[in-house]
Amino acid sequence: MVKFARWSIPIFALLAACEPGELQVFTAADGSVAPRLDMSMPSTDGFTPSDDLGARPDGFTPPSDAGCDPDCTGRACGPDGCGGSCGDCGAGQACEPGAGQCIDTESCGNGSLDPGEVCDGDCPTSCPAPATCETIALQGTAAECTARCVTSDISSCTNGDGCCPSGCNATNDNDCDAMCGNGVVEPGERCDGDCPTSCSSSACTTRTLVGSGCNRRCESAPVTTCASGDGCCPSGCSLPGDADCALDCTDLGSWPSDWAAQEDAALDEMNRHRATGYTCASGPRMSVPAYVMNDQLRIAARCHSMDMAEENFFSHTGSDGSNFSTRCNRAGYTGGPRYENIAAGNSTGVASVGQWMSSSTGHCDAVMASNANRVGIGYYRKSGTMWTHYWTAVFGQGG
């Protein structure tokens, strides 16, 4: 049995009426004819109306929907809008989607830039050197007319690539120059964003703003000038040359050197009399060995002279009620305290010893005592007090 393609067209004419099971012939509007089986005729060889009855010899594909009008206007290939096709392309061609035109798929090398090509006959085989902070790479192939040089920006912070991308700095990319104001302290900078604009000095340190930009800094230098009123007592300075110097009577090295010199002068004057003998108010005294200056007794003497001047009084009893023996023990003296002399009003050690030697109340006896061989002498000066100059000499045995 011959099978024919099952098809239908919008307009047809019935040429003859056939009995069931007979072949029917239809004529289309363009004059073509096609056979058709009567669908009500049972098949004896298993054929059904859905079986393929063969294609038309002119290649036309009938639309599947008898109610749809195909449209191939300006199109040589691709769908006709009704489930059919407007035609097929030849070998080496393909239907361009959307346009419905057959295009060559083997056109690379024809010297013409065809769709899908980026070059033809002038395709690059290498790329030029990239600009700063760019990379350039050859992509595609000349054989496929897709070769091209593609550039991209460098964004990573990498040493030695000659580029300093945005967001990088001299701390993470050695290609970047230090930039003052970026908030990062980079090589060669001392600060960035937090640079000082002024410097504050302390009592014994001056601080000066130096440098500019991201190299501004405060440089410190110690105060070395002895000057009253600056709040500082530099090393080597003392009263009265620097009124800011706070004296510590327990620190032998803090005492003004000119005061200590007068104390030493008083010791020399005492020993001069002890060497020759002296007639005190109580009677003559034979020569005796020289006194030796004792550090602990000197501290006790200085602290009492200072106490009298600062508290503006004159007495053997301290402002805290202490006596000379207590003050010697407080200073750490390990010998035996014997006597204490005090004087006021004289600016020199020699004059003060002279006061004691001419005294009728035992001061001369203390200077010439044979039962004492150690002495501590302390001098303190303070203007505005009753006597200005205050002296103490403490005598002891041993230690």
mmCIF file of all heavy atoms in Angstrom, residues 70-113:
data_model
loop_
_atom_site.group_PDB
_atom_site.id
_atom_site.type_symbol
_atom_site.label_atom_id
_atom_site.label_comp_id
_atom_site.label_asym_id
_atom_site.label_seq_id
_atom_site.Cartn_x
_atom_site.Cartn_y
_atom_site.Cartn_z
ATOM 1 N N PRO A 70 1.184 31.152 7.310
ATOM 2 C CA PRO A 70 2.646 31.268 7.401
ATOM 3 C C PRO A 70 3.131 32.573 6.784
ATOM 4 O O PRO A 70 2.531 33.098 5.858
ATOM 5 C CB PRO A 70 3.136 30.049 6.626
ATOM 6 C CG PRO A 70 2.029 29.726 5.677
ATOM 7 C CD PRO A 70 0.755 30.066 6.369
ATOM 8 N N ASP A 71 4.261 33.122 7.357
ATOM 9 C CA ASP A 71 4.812 34.387 6.877
ATOM 10 C C ASP A 71 6.320 34.230 6.703
ATOM 11 O O ASP A 71 7.061 34.117 7.676
ATOM 12 C CB ASP A 71 4.512 35.508 7.876
ATOM 13 C CG ASP A 71 5.020 36.858 7.371
ATOM 14 O OD1 ASP A 71 5.441 36.927 6.204
ATOM 15 O OD2 ASP A 71 4.991 37.837 8.169
ATOM 16 N N CYS A 72 6.818 34.233 5.489
ATOM 17 C CA CYS A 72 8.248 34.121 5.187
ATOM 18 C C CYS A 72 8.746 35.339 4.420
ATOM 19 O O CYS A 72 9.740 35.269 3.679
ATOM 20 C CB CYS A 72 8.518 32.848 4.367
ATOM 21 S SG CYS A 72 8.361 31.330 5.328
ATOM 22 N N THR A 73 8.023 36.461 4.571
ATOM 23 C CA THR A 73 8.412 37.675 3.864
ATOM 24 C C THR A 73 9.821 38.095 4.232
ATOM 25 O O THR A 73 10.133 38.291 5.414
ATOM 26 C CB THR A 73 7.438 38.823 4.205
ATOM 27 O OG1 THR A 73 6.107 38.419 3.892
ATOM 28 C CG2 THR A 73 7.797 40.077 3.424
ATOM 29 N N GLY A 74 10.728 38.219 3.293
ATOM 30 C CA GLY A 74 12.101 38.644 3.518
ATOM 31 C C GLY A 74 12.954 37.628 4.223
ATOM 32 O O GLY A 74 14.063 37.940 4.667
ATOM 33 N N ARG A 75 12.490 36.434 4.394
ATOM 34 C CA ARG A 75 13.216 35.404 5.106
ATOM 35 C C ARG A 75 13.507 34.250 4.162
ATOM 36 O O ARG A 75 12.623 33.804 3.420
ATOM 37 C CB ARG A 75 12.426 34.890 6.308
ATOM 38 C CG ARG A 75 12.099 35.980 7.340
ATOM 39 C CD ARG A 75 11.138 35.461 8.398
ATOM 40 N NE ARG A 75 11.730 34.393 9.183
ATOM 41 C CZ ARG A 75 12.502 34.577 10.245
ATOM 42 N NH1 ARG A 75 12.769 35.812 10.632
ATOM 43 N NH2 ARG A 75 13.003 33.561 10.904
ATOM 44 N N ALA A 76 14.719 33.746 4.198
ATOM 45 C CA ALA A 76 15.100 32.612 3.350
ATOM 46 C C ALA A 76 15.194 31.329 4.150
ATOM 47 O O ALA A 76 15.309 30.239 3.570
ATOM 48 C CB ALA A 76 16.448 32.884 2.691
ATOM 49 N N CYS A 77 15.152 31.458 5.471
ATOM 50 C CA CYS A 77 15.264 30.281 6.309
ATOM 51 C C CYS A 77 14.641 30.589 7.653
ATOM 52 O O CYS A 77 14.232 31.707 7.920
ATOM 53 C CB CYS A 77 16.730 29.875 6.476
ATOM 54 S SG CYS A 77 17.764 31.181 7.201
ATOM 55 N N GLY A 78 14.566 29.566 8.471
ATOM 56 C CA GLY A 78 14.023 29.758 9.801
ATOM 57 C C GLY A 78 12.526 29.512 9.846
ATOM 58 O O GLY A 78 11.881 29.204 8.830
ATOM 59 N N PRO A 79 11.906 29.638 10.992
ATOM 60 C CA PRO A 79 10.478 29.331 11.158
ATOM 61 C C PRO A 79 9.579 30.328 10.422
ATOM 62 O O PRO A 79 9.919 31.480 10.258
ATOM 63 C CB PRO A 79 10.293 29.413 12.675
ATOM 64 C CG PRO A 79 11.391 30.293 13.174
ATOM 65 C CD PRO A 79 12.541 30.037 12.260
ATOM 66 N N ASP A 80 8.419 29.788 10.000
ATOM 67 C CA ASP A 80 7.455 30.634 9.278
ATOM 68 C C ASP A 80 6.357 31.168 10.161
ATOM 69 O O ASP A 80 5.449 31.849 9.700
ATOM 70 C CB ASP A 80 6.853 29.852 8.119
ATOM 71 C CG ASP A 80 6.033 28.645 8.592
ATOM 72 O OD1 ASP A 80 5.941 28.439 9.838
ATOM 73 O OD2 ASP A 80 5.501 27.909 7.757
ATOM 74 N N GLY A 81 6.405 30.843 11.458
ATOM 75 C CA GLY A 81 5.418 31.343 12.393
ATOM 76 C C GLY A 81 4.251 30.426 12.584
ATOM 77 O O GLY A 81 3.404 30.693 13.430
ATOM 78 N N CYS A 82 4.195 29.370 11.818
ATOM 79 C CA CYS A 82 3.058 28.446 11.951
ATOM 80 C C CYS A 82 3.534 27.018 12.178
ATOM 81 O O CYS A 82 2.833 26.055 11.852
ATOM 82 C CB CYS A 82 2.177 28.517 10.700
ATOM 83 S SG CYS A 82 1.295 30.089 10.521
ATOM 84 N N GLY A 83 4.742 26.879 12.657
ATOM 85 C CA GLY A 83 5.272 25.553 12.911
ATOM 86 C C GLY A 83 6.035 24.985 11.745
ATOM 87 O O GLY A 83 6.643 23.919 11.857
ATOM 88 N N GLY A 84 6.072 25.702 10.628
ATOM 89 C CA GLY A 84 6.804 25.245 9.469
ATOM 90 C C GLY A 84 8.098 25.991 9.295
ATOM 91 O O GLY A 84 8.532 26.727 10.173
ATOM 92 N N SER A 85 8.754 25.832 8.143
ATOM 93 C CA SER A 85 10.030 26.456 7.878
ATOM 94 C C SER A 85 9.975 27.251 6.592
ATOM 95 O O SER A 85 9.274 26.892 5.657
ATOM 96 C CB SER A 85 11.111 25.372 7.792
ATOM 97 O OG SER A 85 12.331 25.920 7.346
ATOM 98 N N CYS A 86 10.765 28.356 6.590
ATOM 99 C CA CYS A 86 10.848 29.169 5.386
ATOM 100 C C CYS A 86 11.911 28.654 4.418
ATOM 101 O O CYS A 86 12.104 29.228 3.351
ATOM 102 C CB CYS A 86 11.150 30.621 5.754
ATOM 103 S SG CYS A 86 9.802 31.467 6.612
ATOM 104 N N GLY A 87 12.640 27.632 4.802
ATOM 105 C CA GLY A 87 13.640 27.059 3.918
ATOM 106 C C GLY A 87 14.890 26.658 4.667
ATOM 107 O O GLY A 87 15.077 27.026 5.818
ATOM 108 N N ASP A 88 15.726 25.847 4.028
ATOM 109 C CA ASP A 88 16.973 25.399 4.627
ATOM 110 C C ASP A 88 18.148 26.079 3.938
ATOM 111 O O ASP A 88 18.061 26.504 2.786
ATOM 112 C CB ASP A 88 17.109 23.879 4.486
ATOM 113 C CG ASP A 88 16.016 23.145 5.256
ATOM 114 O OD1 ASP A 88 15.635 23.630 6.350
ATOM 115 O OD2 ASP A 88 15.540 22.099 4.772
ATOM 116 N N CYS A 89 19.277 26.206 4.686
ATOM 117 C CA CYS A 89 20.493 26.792 4.142
ATOM 118 C C CYS A 89 21.387 25.694 3.577
ATOM 119 O O CYS A 89 21.300 24.519 3.969
ATOM 120 C CB CYS A 89 21.259 27.568 5.207
ATOM 121 S SG CYS A 89 20.367 29.010 5.839
ATOM 122 N N GLY A 90 22.261 26.080 2.648
ATOM 123 C CA GLY A 90 23.132 25.120 2.016
ATOM 124 C C GLY A 90 24.319 24.744 2.890
ATOM 125 O O GLY A 90 24.480 25.227 4.008
ATOM 126 N N ALA A 91 25.145 23.883 2.323
ATOM 127 C CA ALA A 91 26.336 23.428 3.044
ATOM 128 C C ALA A 91 27.263 24.608 3.325
ATOM 129 O O ALA A 91 27.440 25.490 2.487
ATOM 130 C CB ALA A 91 27.071 22.364 2.220
ATOM 131 N N GLY A 92 27.846 24.619 4.527
ATOM 132 C CA GLY A 92 28.750 25.699 4.916
ATOM 133 C C GLY A 92 28.041 26.967 5.306
ATOM 134 O O GLY A 92 28.655 28.025 5.398
ATOM 135 N N GLN A 93 26.707 26.861 5.460
ATOM 136 C CA GLN A 93 25.912 28.012 5.852
ATOM 137 C C GLN A 93 25.096 27.679 7.080
ATOM 138 O O GLN A 93 24.884 26.516 7.417
ATOM 139 C CB GLN A 93 24.990 28.454 4.698
ATOM 140 C CG GLN A 93 25.709 29.025 3.501
ATOM 141 C CD GLN A 93 24.723 29.559 2.472
ATOM 142 O OE1 GLN A 93 23.672 28.944 2.234
ATOM 143 N NE2 GLN A 93 25.062 30.678 1.870
ATOM 144 N N ALA A 94 24.617 28.713 7.718
ATOM 145 C CA ALA A 94 23.724 28.563 8.864
ATOM 146 C C ALA A 94 22.724 29.693 8.826
ATOM 147 O O ALA A 94 22.981 30.764 8.267
ATOM 148 C CB ALA A 94 24.510 28.586 10.168
ATOM 149 N N CYS A 95 21.571 29.416 9.381
ATOM 150 C CA CYS A 95 20.525 30.438 9.410
ATOM 151 C C CYS A 95 20.814 31.403 10.550
ATOM 152 O O CYS A 95 20.928 30.996 11.718
ATOM 153 C CB CYS A 95 19.159 29.786 9.588
ATOM 154 S SG CYS A 95 17.787 30.953 9.374
ATOM 155 N N GLU A 96 20.934 32.684 10.257
ATOM 156 C CA GLU A 96 21.207 33.678 11.286
ATOM 157 C C GLU A 96 19.946 33.896 12.104
ATOM 158 O O GLU A 96 18.906 34.303 11.579
ATOM 159 C CB GLU A 96 21.646 34.991 10.659
ATOM 160 C CG GLU A 96 22.034 36.035 11.695
ATOM 161 C CD GLU A 96 22.497 37.326 11.039
ATOM 162 O OE1 GLU A 96 22.400 37.448 9.800
ATOM 163 O OE2 GLU A 96 22.949 38.206 11.785
ATOM 164 N N PRO A 97 19.974 33.603 13.403
ATOM 165 C CA PRO A 97 18.764 33.734 14.224
ATOM 166 C C PRO A 97 18.190 35.142 14.154
ATOM 167 O O PRO A 97 18.912 36.125 14.205
ATOM 168 C CB PRO A 97 19.270 33.399 15.635
ATOM 169 C CG PRO A 97 20.503 32.590 15.427
ATOM 170 C CD PRO A 97 21.118 33.117 14.180
ATOM 171 N N GLY A 98 16.874 35.196 14.046
ATOM 172 C CA GLY A 98 16.196 36.487 14.034
ATOM 173 C C GLY A 98 16.129 37.101 12.649
ATOM 174 O O GLY A 98 15.092 37.581 12.229
ATOM 175 N N ALA A 99 17.260 37.071 11.910
ATOM 176 C CA ALA A 99 17.277 37.708 10.583
ATOM 177 C C ALA A 99 16.668 36.830 9.507
ATOM 178 O O ALA A 99 16.146 37.312 8.495
ATOM 179 C CB ALA A 99 18.702 38.075 10.202
ATOM 180 N N GLY A 100 16.737 35.500 9.715
ATOM 181 C CA GLY A 100 16.166 34.594 8.717
ATOM 182 C C GLY A 100 16.961 34.557 7.429
ATOM 183 O O GLY A 100 16.382 34.302 6.364
ATOM 184 N N GLN A 101 18.271 34.825 7.505
ATOM 185 C CA GLN A 101 19.129 34.814 6.326
ATOM 186 C C GLN A 101 20.228 33.780 6.505
ATOM 187 O O GLN A 101 20.708 33.528 7.609
ATOM 188 C CB GLN A 101 19.746 36.192 6.087
ATOM 189 C CG GLN A 101 18.718 37.311 5.891
ATOM 190 C CD GLN A 101 17.849 37.097 4.666
ATOM 191 O OE1 GLN A 101 18.362 36.690 3.612
ATOM 192 N NE2 GLN A 101 16.563 37.344 4.798
ATOM 193 N N CYS A 102 20.600 33.158 5.387
ATOM 194 C CA CYS A 102 21.675 32.186 5.404
ATOM 195 C C CYS A 102 23.020 32.925 5.375
ATOM 196 O O CYS A 102 23.227 33.805 4.531
ATOM 197 C CB CYS A 102 21.562 31.237 4.209
ATOM 198 S SG CYS A 102 20.102 30.157 4.277
ATOM 199 N N ILE A 103 23.894 32.589 6.327
ATOM 200 C CA ILE A 103 25.196 33.225 6.371
ATOM 201 C C ILE A 103 26.267 32.146 6.274
ATOM 202 O O ILE A 103 26.045 30.989 6.648
ATOM 203 C CB ILE A 103 25.398 34.027 7.663
ATOM 204 C CG1 ILE A 103 25.252 33.121 8.890
ATOM 205 C CG2 ILE A 103 24.421 35.187 7.751
ATOM 206 C CD1 ILE A 103 25.581 33.804 10.191
ATOM 207 N N ASP A 104 27.427 32.548 5.746
ATOM 208 C CA ASP A 104 28.525 31.596 5.617
ATOM 209 C C ASP A 104 29.139 31.337 6.993
ATOM 210 O O ASP A 104 29.378 32.246 7.771
ATOM 211 C CB ASP A 104 29.603 32.146 4.678
ATOM 212 C CG ASP A 104 29.110 32.237 3.237
ATOM 213 O OD1 ASP A 104 28.200 31.475 2.896
ATOM 214 O OD2 ASP A 104 29.640 33.097 2.501
ATOM 215 N N THR A 105 29.374 30.091 7.277
ATOM 216 C CA THR A 105 30.048 29.731 8.527
ATOM 217 C C THR A 105 31.523 29.475 8.290
ATOM 218 O O THR A 105 32.262 29.235 9.230
ATOM 219 C CB THR A 105 29.408 28.474 9.134
ATOM 220 O OG1 THR A 105 29.452 27.411 8.174
ATOM 221 C CG2 THR A 105 27.973 28.739 9.521
ATOM 222 N N GLU A 106 31.971 29.515 7.116
ATOM 223 C CA GLU A 106 33.367 29.302 6.790
ATOM 224 C C GLU A 106 33.921 30.513 6.046
ATOM 225 O O GLU A 106 34.619 30.402 5.050
ATOM 226 C CB GLU A 106 33.537 28.036 5.973
ATOM 227 C CG GLU A 106 33.056 26.785 6.700
ATOM 228 C CD GLU A 106 33.172 25.532 5.835
ATOM 229 O OE1 GLU A 106 33.578 25.675 4.665
ATOM 230 O OE2 GLU A 106 32.867 24.436 6.333
ATOM 231 N N SER A 107 33.568 31.731 6.604
ATOM 232 C CA SER A 107 33.930 32.951 5.892
ATOM 233 C C SER A 107 35.252 33.549 6.350
ATOM 234 O O SER A 107 35.721 34.516 5.775
ATOM 235 C CB SER A 107 32.822 34.003 6.066
ATOM 236 O OG SER A 107 32.672 34.312 7.435
ATOM 237 N N CYS A 108 35.902 33.038 7.496
ATOM 238 C CA CYS A 108 37.151 33.602 7.998
ATOM 239 C C CYS A 108 38.235 33.464 6.938
ATOM 240 O O CYS A 108 38.492 32.367 6.421
ATOM 241 C CB CYS A 108 37.578 32.891 9.276
ATOM 242 S SG CYS A 108 39.068 33.595 10.022
ATOM 243 N N GLY A 109 38.840 34.586 6.585
ATOM 244 C CA GLY A 109 39.880 34.588 5.576
ATOM 245 C C GLY A 109 39.459 35.205 4.262
ATOM 246 O O GLY A 109 40.260 35.328 3.340
ATOM 247 N N ASN A 110 38.184 35.613 4.188
ATOM 248 C CA ASN A 110 37.725 36.231 2.946
ATOM 249 C C ASN A 110 38.004 37.727 2.896
ATOM 250 O O ASN A 110 37.608 38.412 1.958
ATOM 251 C CB ASN A 110 36.224 35.954 2.736
ATOM 252 C CG ASN A 110 35.358 36.572 3.823
ATOM 253 O OD1 ASN A 110 35.856 37.277 4.697
ATOM 254 N ND2 ASN A 110 34.045 36.288 3.770
ATOM 255 N N GLY A 111 38.664 38.239 3.933
ATOM 256 C CA GLY A 111 39.008 39.654 3.947
ATOM 257 C C GLY A 111 37.862 40.560 4.316
ATOM 258 O O GLY A 111 38.007 41.779 4.313
ATOM 259 N N SER A 112 36.741 39.985 4.652
ATOM 260 C CA SER A 112 35.566 40.778 5.002
ATOM 261 C C SER A 112 35.172 40.461 6.429
ATOM 262 O O SER A 112 35.182 39.292 6.834
ATOM 263 C CB SER A 112 34.403 40.463 4.047
ATOM 264 O OG SER A 112 33.234 41.145 4.429
ATOM 265 N N LEU A 113 34.823 41.496 7.182
ATOM 266 C CA LEU A 113 34.451 41.299 8.581
ATOM 267 C C LEU A 113 33.002 40.856 8.628
ATOM 268 O O LEU A 113 32.068 41.659 8.536
ATOM 269 C CB LEU A 113 34.654 42.595 9.362
ATOM 270 C CG LEU A 113 34.708 42.459 10.880
ATOM 271 C CD1 LEU A 113 35.892 41.602 11.296
ATOM 272 C CD2 LEU A 113 34.803 43.831 11.531
#
